Amino acid sequence: MGVLKDFFNLLKGMTITGKHLGRRAVTIQYPEQKMQMFERSRGVVVLLSDKETGDLNCTMCMLCMRACPTAAIYIDAPRDENKKRVLKEFKVDHALCCYCGLCEEACNFSAIKLANKYEFSTWDIDDLVWDVNKLQDVGRDVPYVDTRKKKPAAKAAAKPAEKKADDKKSAADGAKPSAEENKQSEGDKPSEPKATDTAAADKTAPAKDEKAVDSSPDETPESDETRRSADDDTKKGDA
Amino acid sequence: MTHDELRAYVADKFGDKLTLLDTGRAEPMYEVKLSDLHDVAESLRKDETLQFDYLCNLGGTDTGERLEVHYQLASIYKNNRIDFKVMLTDDKPSVPTVQDIWPAANWYEREMWELYGINVEGHNNLTRFLLPDDWDQGHPMRKDWDAPDFIRLPEFKG
Amino acid sequence: MELYPVFMWLHDLLESTGIGEPWSTIISYGFLAVTVFGTLSILALFLVWWERKIAGHIQQRFGPMRTGWHGWYQTIMDAVKLLQKEDIRIATRDKAVFFWAPVVCFVAAYLAYVVIPFGENLIVADLNVGILYIIAVTTFTVISLLMAGWGSNNKYALLGGMRSAAQVVSYEVPMAVSILTVIVFAGSLSMVDIANAQQGNIIFNWFIFKPPFGIIAFLTYITAATAEANRTPFDIPEAEQELVAGYNVEYSGMKFAMFFLAEFVNLFTVSAIAVTLFFGGWHGPLLPSWIWFLLKTFAVILLLMLFRWTFPRLRVDQLMEFAWKFLVPLTFANLILAGWFKYAGWHW
Amino acid sequence: MSALRTEEFTVNMGPHHPSTHGVCRLILTMDGEKVVKVEPVIGYLHRALEKICENRTYVQCIPILDRFEYVTAMSCNYVFALAVEKLAEIEVPERAEYIRVIMLELNRIASHLLFYGVTAMDIGALTPFLYGLRERELIIDLFEMTCGQRLTYNYIRIGGVARDLPPEFVPKCREAVKIITDKLVDYEGLLNENPIWKVRNQGIGYLSPEDAIAYGVSGPVLRASGVEYDIRKNDPYSIYDRFDFNIPTHQNGDCYDRYLQRLAEIKESLKIITQALDGLPEGEIQPKKKINAITYKPPAGEVYARVENSRGELGVYLISDGSTKPVRVKTRGGSYNQLQALPIMVNDCLIADLVAIFASLDVIMPEVDR
């Protein structure tokens, strides 16, 4: 009886859907309920700050910029008279970003991260280009594992003398509203790692770091016209 | 048939029509002369021992110096793989179609014609394919192709 | 036994105020029409919401949740939105046909409610050919779908219109024949009489429990009715995966809403007929009659919704084949056998 | 009496049509409901991925190729990594190979579950779509937990994988395998024996094995035509030769068999995952000599790597000149050939059948257009 068999197969399908009728929904009501994001989820790009000092971890080595497959990161950090980099501009275009996480992997200083935050839509596509302040603000409460090698230890050793000088300054800044302090710290930032660099105890550490990063200190990354030679490249690859 | 046996068989069967390229890998890669292309392809397909009945991939390449067309073949029943390619040095590059041997080549050849400007003789339908119908800006996969809105990644100095 | 006394009462009341003859009749008819129209519109809106909720829960979603408690006024807001939307009219349309199609569809859907008994005394007019009238009037829908398909001047819409014409005409036959089986049982064409014939004996006087003809008639009826209401697995006129939206592909705004509401009114119609014919109409103990009627109707609608959210869609030729090669012979055999049994006087 | 002559007309199905899975345009020549001729028009999603890859370093190509076949982005990652590994003869650590196999097979299941839902939806049953996606979500969550993304993973890298599995991965993966195994009963109960499903699919869109091979059709579509050819077995890559699994085949080559074929493959993939989870060793996940994203240079040469993904043969033909950027990345996806073979499956079928055939091929347009 083919007809009866078909009929019961139809009924079987209906019992399956009917059974689901009484079950709980597996979806959630988004704006009210939010999913617990995984720790590794790659969302918005942020800049991380030092847990103690609150300054950017970024050393302006430009590795993230070079690792980015979509040219979403733009860094402008010319050198000052002491041949140290001064951060002028750090922009991430979230509209260009493909959230691949290569910048995070390229970074040796735990400075950039794809945080597990996802609510950053805007009305205007231009608002998706975040400057350093915004990147740092959003990144302040992002937990991360500090993988900076040696530096923290060296810093701790070199710190005390410096801390005092810094403390004074921050005490003076303390009275100012936070927004201004951000700006202030941004302005100060480049000078901060510089200070540690000059400390005698630290002399060797940066050199080692540079090697590991395989970006030499003499790089001038901005001049697009000058191609870097293939030979140079191989050397670095081998290093 | 192992790769070595395949090499030996092909050398025996085709002689200098198929030149083995040194790629350093197990799977053999051959170079074929443009004039022999269709014949070689047909005998690869028809040969009882080889039976390359399955066209994996076909496409053009611009190495910067010359254009190449590569063919990746497989045999379903004999379970072999073979690659061969043809170098095009002509100003007006052109290859014979292999559509009659592997119907699958149809779209691949159309794509190649469109993106590399390699003419395919005997193809039944060389019309715009991936690009817009009114495309008139040349063959974009060529290395020297450039267009005002084509953005390359910024070059970094070492 | 119908709403007619209400009409008479209203008519007399208006007469006594001295309005004069044509106006008192028009106003009292208008009152009746508005009552039916209002009830049905609310029912249709409710059904849209309910269907979305059922679909949601079958698929382990929530369905509408944003507007009010479990989104209860979602469809009202949808209707308001559709009212406000621009009425897009393509330039190449057949103007008159395009305009009248949704109107015909809407009116045809509502006309059936003249003879549907919602409860003991809740019927607009108890025609003695009630069921015949319903079959006649619901067929108007097909004209409207054809009009929509033709008037849109769109190939997809035309295909949808043609499909629906073929489908509705085909399924009209098994549907009418299965209804005839019930008429054989009841011996009357009046909806009220059919319902009354199933009174008493708890539920075992229902026509569905007249084995085997009742159950076969019900199954064939419900199949044909699904096709009549253009619902999955017979929703090929709109088949969104094939024809995008079929006949209403070019409609927007309120015109689309009219098609949409008419579809759900049709759903209620076929279920209400099923209840009247097979499930004892409004008869039931304790609760008021209209509550029984609505409960039974919603149960049938739930069944139809379960169909929709479980089954894939049939193809157009298979649909025809199923109607002509399976349903029509089956229903005719059923009718003839039922008539023979009745004539011979075996167990009825 | 002369025969009744009806006029053929042209219907433009797509690029924006609910059942063309993206933006494929099919120009149909129709005689009433009958499709006389179908001509696919593609290119609406052409993003010039191959050209973009020529302008990126090898590691940067991987996130670009994620977008090539985004439903199984893991195998896109993998096939490119495999090509470079073949080229540079990189030894991949054991643990990385196991993780790769787990990920590839999970991704295959996710893709087939999506197919299950989408095909059912194309044939008019809306509920299976949600059920399919519900279980797919489990897998996507596993991916997100491991690599941080839900669709474009950038996880399988040259020489290994990007990150090690999180500790909770293995138990959660086992749980997901168990749930999917249970839910498969529901899936089959809903559609397999459903008479409507059967009449809609059986005998529709027949593809003979000869035609399938000639048109380069691969994967489940090829195997549903009765050709037992699976690159995992016939040209083994990674560590597939260590696992015990079968290559299911079906003989009829119609839409129904293609559907059954994919359900059968889900079961085989579940088997592989269970075995891989059991055998997962400890150890490194990246080669000893780390691949630098910016400066990595494979030796000059050319290679064609191919893997079996849920849509068939996924291949990358890679030419390197020894610099940081590839000279040529030619990608090859299963959908390309499947779509090319669509016209030969459509012989005088109805428009509804065309939808069923198109759905049964499981074409992903970005893979066709690239």
Side-chain angles (χ1 to χ4, degrees):
Chain A
M1 286 300 280
V3 178
L4 279 182
K5 212 179 126 215
D6 287 350
F7 182 69
F8 283 113
N9 278 322
L10 288 175
L11 278 188
K12 191 172 144 202
M14 278 166 67
T15 47
I16 290 171
T17 44
K19 256 192 293 181
H20 282 84
L21 195 54
R23 289 192 193 160
R24 281 190 66 80
V26 292
T27 50
I28 58 169
Q29 293 287 300
Y30 162 60
E32 291 94 38
Q33 294 163 280
K34 280 176 187 165
M35 251 173 99
Q36 180 67 43
M37 297 304 280
F38 294 103
E39 189 270 322
R40 290 185 181 180
S41 291
R42 301 204 297 259
V44 57
V45 181
V46 296
L47 286 179
L48 300 171
S49 314
D50 193 285
K51 280 166 188 161
E52 290 153 23
T53 61
D55 293 335
L56 282 181
N57 290 348
C58 183
T59 58
M60 289 147 284
C61 64
M62 315 271 173
L63 278 182
C64 50
M65 185 175 167
R66 283 166 57 182
C68 182
T70 55
I73 302 175
Y74 175 75
I75 307 172
D76 188 5
R79 290 167 192 282
D80 64 0
E81 59 275 12
N82 298 333
K83 290 223 163 191
K84 294 293 166 195
R85 292 183 186 284
V86 183
L87 189 64
K88 219 164 106 191
E89 216 175 0
F90 194 124
K91 284 196 293 194
V92 175
D93 188 343
H94 281 96
L96 274 181
C97 181
C98 70
Y99 306 95
C100 60
L102 286 181
C103 50
E104 187 183 334
E105 283 164 36
C107 186
N108 289 302
F109 298 98
S110 306
I112 193 165
K113 189 177 195 298
L114 273 72
N116 58 359
K117 297 180 176 179
Y118 52 93
E119 288 165 313
F120 57 99
S121 48
T122 59
W123 290 104
D124 189 352
I125 195 165
D126 292 336
D127 296 346
L128 285 173
V129 184
W130 289 13
D131 64 354
V132 67
N133 289 335
K134 182 132 195 223
L135 289 167
Q136 194 182 7
D137 282 352
V138 179
R140 274 194 199 281
D141 59 337
V142 174
Y144 69 97
V145 185
D146 205 334
T147 54
R148 287 175 294 174
K149 295 161 221 157
K150 287 161 197 144
K151 231 179 187 172
K155 221 182 213 171
K159 258 286 121 96
E162 226 159 82
K163 254 253 159 88
K164 263 167 210 159
D166 259 43
D167 277 355
K168 228 189 249 167
K169 206 160 116 208
S170 60
D173 287 345
K176 286 176 189 170
S178 60
E180 261 202 69
E181 188 171 312
N182 265 337
K183 249 183 204 157
Q184 189 80 21
S185 66
E186 184 223 346
D188 282 349
K189 228 158 292 130
S191 64
E192 164 63 30
K194 208 200 309 169
T196 43
D197 283 355
T198 42
D202 223 28
K203 268 259 152 86
T204 48
K208 256 183 204 162
D209 266 348
E210 299 281 19
K211 216 173 245 169
V213 180
D214 92 36
S215 74
S216 59
D218 328 72
E219 273 175 28
T220 45
E222 270 352 289
S223 44
D224 285 353
E225 296 83 35
T226 42
R227 261 169 167 266
R228 75 170 163 171
S229 68
D231 287 8
D232 203 351
D233 219 343
T234 351
K235 245 183 265 162
K236 233 159 268 145
D238 294 341
Chain B
M1 201 185 263
T2 64
H3 292 306
D4 289 333
E5 282 167 21
L6 182 68
R7 276 199 179 93
Y9 184 85
V10 169
D12 187 39
K13 170 112 206 233
F14 292 94
D16 57 351
K17 277 188 178 171
L18 279 174
T19 325
L20 189 66
L21 292 176
D22 178 29
T23 52
R25 262 164 302 288
E27 290 140 7
M29 164 78 106
Y30 293 92
E31 190 195 330
V32 63
K33 282 201 266 329
L34 182 58
S35 51
D36 296 339
L37 177 64
H38 196 270
D39 290 346
V40 168
E42 195 153 18
S43 24
L44 283 172
R45 168 76 183 82
K46 296 266 166 69
D47 189 281
E48 279 301 311
T49 329
L50 296 173
Q51 272 192 33
F52 284 112
D53 47 7
Y54 183 83
L55 181 77
C56 293
N57 198 0
L58 190 168
T61 307
D62 185 0
T63 58
E65 294 138 31
R66 60 171 182 271
L67 289 169
E68 297 173 1
V69 182
H70 59 86
Y71 299 80
Q72 269 84 33
L73 303 179
S75 140
I76 297 279
Y77 296 110
K78 303 285 177 185
N79 199 15
N80 285 325
R81 275 259 301 106
I82 194 171
D83 296 0
F84 65 92
K85 62 181 186 179
V86 56
M87 317 278 186
L88 304 170
T89 43
D90 213 29
D91 280 347
K92 283 187 179 167
S94 176
V95 290
T97 181
V98 291
Q99 216 193 116
D100 47 336
I101 308 167
W102 301 284
N106 189 330
W107 280 18
Y108 288 103
E109 287 178 344
R110 247 175 107 182
E111 186 188 325
M112 185 173 77
W113 165 80
E114 180 172 50
L115 298 180
Y116 282 97
I118 298 172
N119 184 39
V120 184
E121 292 157 34
H123 193 283
N124 60 1
N125 188 19
L126 285 183
T127 47
R128 282 272 162 245
F129 189 52
L130 290 172
L131 300 176
D133 286 346
D134 53 354
W135 182 262
D136 59 351
Q137 299 181 45
H139 308 295
M141 285 299 278
R142 294 235 182 137
K143 288 281 178 198
D144 54 1
W145 181 83
D146 214 344
D149 55 348
F150 177 53
I151 302 162
R152 293 173 195 273
L153 265 199
E155 291 284 348
F156 295 103
K157 200 190 146 238
Chain C
M1 292 287 282
E2 50 194 59
L3 279 179
Y4 193 68
V6 183
F7 163 73
M8 286 308 292
W9 172 78
L10 199 68
H11 187 256
D12 291 346
L13 192 75
L14 289 166
E15 284 283 273
S16 64
T17 56
I19 282 182
E21 186 28 60
W23 295 112
S24 57
T25 313
I26 289 171
I27 290 173
S28 22
Y29 270 126
F31 174 75
L32 275 187
V34 168
T35 314
V36 171
F37 181 82
T39 322
L40 281 173
S41 300
I42 291 166
L43 267 175
L45 287 177
F46 169 76
L47 283 180
V48 175
W49 173 81
W50 201 45
E51 168 126 52
R52 290 179 64 179
K53 277 316 240 196
I54 294 275
H57 283 283
I58 283 180
Q59 298 168 350
Q60 292 197 279
R61 301 181 282 118
F62 286 104
M65 284 296 274
R66 297 268 174 245
T67 43
W69 180 83
H70 280 257
W72 68 269
Y73 62 88
Q74 177 72 47
T75 40
I76 299 174
M77 300 314 277
D78 280 348
V80 171
K81 178 202 77 180
L82 282 170
L83 270 172
Q84 291 171 344
K85 280 186 95 167
E86 186 194 353
D87 180 25
I88 298 166
R89 288 160 298 184
I90 50 166
T92 49
R93 73 194 188 278
D94 187 327
K95 288 198 178 75
V97 178
F98 187 80
F99 177 82
W100 284 106
V103 179
V104 173
C105 186
F106 203 58
V107 170
Y110 278 85
L111 274 180
Y113 285 86
V114 171
V115 294
I116 288 182
F118 281 87
E120 196 141 15
N121 287 319
L122 288 168
I123 183 166
V124 177
D126 179 16
L127 301 183
N128 57 1
V129 289
I131 194 73
L132 196 65
Y133 168 81
I134 289 180
I135 294 173
V137 157
T138 47
T139 319
F140 267 117
T141 316
V142 67
I143 298 175
S144 73
L145 302 191
L146 257 182
M147 284 166 73
W150 180 260
S152 301
N153 197 2
N154 176 310
K155 284 164 186 166
Y156 284 124
L158 185 60
L159 275 175
M162 295 314 258
R163 278 178 174 200
S164 75
Q167 172 181 331
V168 176
V169 167
S170 309
Y171 278 86
E172 201 69 32
V173 179
M175 183 168 157
V177 177
S178 18
I179 290 175
L180 272 181
T181 317
V182 174
I183 293 170
V184 168
F185 299 155
S188 167
L189 287 171
S190 151
M191 293 292 268
V192 175
D193 289 350
I194 292 171
N196 281 335
Q198 303 172 62
Q199 209 173 0
N201 199 4
I202 317 174
I203 56 170
F204 296 105
N205 273 359
W206 292 2
F207 286 147
I208 190 173
F209 294 116
K210 285 209 182 293
F213 311 115
I215 186 78
I216 292 176
F218 171 69
L219 290 176
T220 47
Y221 171 79
I222 206 82
T223 315
T226 319
E228 282 278 313
N230 288 338
R231 292 176 63 83
T232 320
F234 305 105
D235 67 338
I236 57 155
E238 22 194 335
E240 66 232 40
Q241 282 81 14
E242 296 151 30
L243 300 183
V244 191
Y247 57 85
N248 57 26
V249 68
E250 294 290 356
Y251 283 92
S252 60
M254 203 51 216
K255 285 181 184 152
F256 170 74
M258 284 164 94
F259 277 118
F260 196 66
L261 283 183
E263 195 176 300
F264 279 86
V265 171
N266 273 337
L267 172 65
F268 192 85
T269 316
V270 294
S271 311
I273 297 171
V275 167
T276 313
L277 294 186
F278 298 101
F279 295 102
W282 67 84
H283 292 294
L286 302 174
L287 295 174
S289 59
W290 59 274
I291 290 188
W292 272 114
F293 182 81
L294 284 184
L295 278 179
K296 289 173 185 174
T297 314
F298 284 143
V300 176
I301 291 175
L302 186 64
L303 185 70
L304 289 175
M305 284 182 179
L306 214 51
F307 284 168
R308 173 158 178 187
W309 300 108
T310 307
F311 298 140
R313 178 184 307 119
L314 274 168
R315 210 172 61 201
V316 62
D317 58 329
Q318 291 160 351
L319 187 107
M320 294 296 149
E321 239 174 69
F322 183 65
W324 291 107
K325 290 189 184 165
F326 180 74
L327 277 186
V328 170
L330 181 67
T331 46
F332 267 109
N334 195 31
L335 173 67
I336 290 165
L337 282 174
W340 183 34
F341 268 52
K342 172 100 177 174
Y343 178 73
W346 295 338
H347 81 85
W348 297 301
Chain D
M1 200 180 106
S2 65
L4 182 68
R5 201 188 72 86
T6 51
E7 204 168 313
E8 288 175 356
F9 64 104
T10 310
V11 172
N12 203 5
M13 190 167 163
H16 301 293
H17 187 281
S19 60
T20 51
H21 295 206
V23 282
C24 178
R25 176 172 157 219
L26 301 171
I27 300 176
L28 314 178
T29 309
M30 299 190 46
D31 179 8
E33 283 262 349
K34 227 178 231 171
V35 181
V36 179
K37 208 181 113 205
V38 53
E39 191 194 342
V41 177
I42 66 167
Y44 292 92
L45 262 178
H46 183 53
R47 294 149 297 165
L49 288 183
E50 291 169 2
K51 185 79 179 171
I52 293 173
C53 283
E54 288 175 15
N55 196 26
R56 299 288 185 278
T57 67
Y58 283 88
V59 176
Q60 285 176 349
C61 283
I62 293 178
I64 301 294
L65 285 178
D66 268 340
R67 275 88 185 156
F68 163 47
E69 214 263 61
Y70 54 67
V71 179
T72 55
M74 281 289 179
S75 48
C76 298
N77 289 180
Y78 180 66
V79 71
F80 187 79
L82 183 68
V84 180
E85 282 156 17
K86 270 181 156 180
L87 203 62
E89 283 160 6
I90 297 170
E91 189 105 352
V92 183
E94 189 87 332
R95 183 174 171 84
E97 289 281 25
Y98 271 88
I99 294 175
R100 283 172 170 199
V101 167
I102 293 171
M103 291 299 167
L104 289 172
E105 293 307 314
L106 280 176
N107 214 171
R108 186 189 315 279
I109 295 173
S111 167
H112 283 338
L113 287 177
L114 185 71
F115 160 83
Y116 170 80
V118 172
T119 306
M121 197 163 76
D122 277 350
I123 301 201
L126 291 168
T127 305
F129 177 67
L130 276 293
Y131 292 173
L133 285 197
R134 184 185 60 198
E135 267 69 68
R136 180 171 176 264
E137 199 67 11
L138 293 171
I139 296 171
I140 302 284
D141 275 351
L142 286 174
F143 289 153
E144 193 182 2
M145 179 200 290
T146 313
C147 63
Q149 278 291 27
R150 300 173 69 78
L151 208 60
T152 51
Y153 310 112
N154 189 18
Y155 181 63
I156 297 177
R157 299 289 175 79
I158 300 161
V161 293
R163 306 175 88 162
D164 204 351
L165 297 175
E168 68 271 28
F169 179 87
V170 175
K172 284 220 169 169
C173 188
R174 282 190 199 279
E175 197 191 322
V177 167
K178 196 175 161 289
I179 291 173
I180 293 167
T181 317
D182 292 347
K183 294 287 180 189
L184 273 176
V185 180
D186 267 6
Y187 297 163
E188 289 175 349
L190 262 179
L191 294 182
N192 271 19
E193 289 304 318
N194 187 319
I196 302 175
W197 181 257
K198 278 170 101 168
V199 295
R200 278 304 302 278
N201 282 302
Q202 277 179 339
I204 306 296
Y206 173 69
L207 183 66
S208 69
E210 296 78 31
D211 279 346
I213 294 169
Y215 276 86
V217 169
S218 52
V221 182
L222 179 67
R223 290 192 286 277
S225 287
V227 182
E228 193 178 338
Y229 189 78
D230 188 317
I231 299 169
R232 285 178 293 174
K233 284 267 190 206
N234 290 51
D235 190 4
Y237 53 93
S238 191
I239 47 165
Y240 274 106
D241 42 0
R242 296 187 202 173
F243 300 116
D244 167 38
F245 65 102
N246 305 321
I247 303 299
T249 52
H250 287 80
Q251 300 306 319
N252 295 335
D254 56 6
C255 293
Y256 187 65
D257 273 16
R258 282 173 220 143
Y259 159 78
L260 290 181
Q261 173 70 30
R262 290 193 172 89
L263 282 193
E265 283 186 15
I266 291 180
K267 288 176 195 161
E268 295 302 322
S269 292
L270 287 171
K271 258 160 72 179
I272 298 176
I273 292 169
T274 317
Q275 290 170 44
L277 284 174
D278 290 341
L280 187 68
E282 292 297 320
E284 284 296 307
I285 51 151
Q286 295 255 349
K288 288 198 187 67
K289 192 160 170 277
K290 288 258 183 331
I291 308 292
N292 188 300
I294 303 159
T295 55
Y296 176 68
K297 288 176 183 175
E302 48 198 89
V303 67
Y304 178 70
R306 55 179 192 156
V307 301
E308 180 81 26
N309 86 338
S310 59
R311 288 180 183 74
E313 176 177 338
L314 190 72
V316 161
Y317 175 65
L318 186 71
I319 303 182
S320 155
D321 61 353
S323 74
T324 54
K325 291 171 182 173
V327 173
R328 172 77 163 126
V329 180
K330 169 88 176 89
T331 50
R332 184 258 199 240
S335 302
Y336 194 72
N337 291 57
Q338 260 96 299
L339 190 60
Q340 192 177 177
L342 177 69
I344 57 165
M345 289 180 232
V346 176
N347 33 22
D348 276 2
C349 72
L350 302 183
I351 187 168
D353 291 337
L354 180 74
V355 172
I357 296 168
F358 197 89
S360 76
L361 295 179
D362 198 13
V363 170
I364 289 287
M365 286 317 285
E367 192 186 9
V368 178
D369 292 344
R370 288 162 298 167

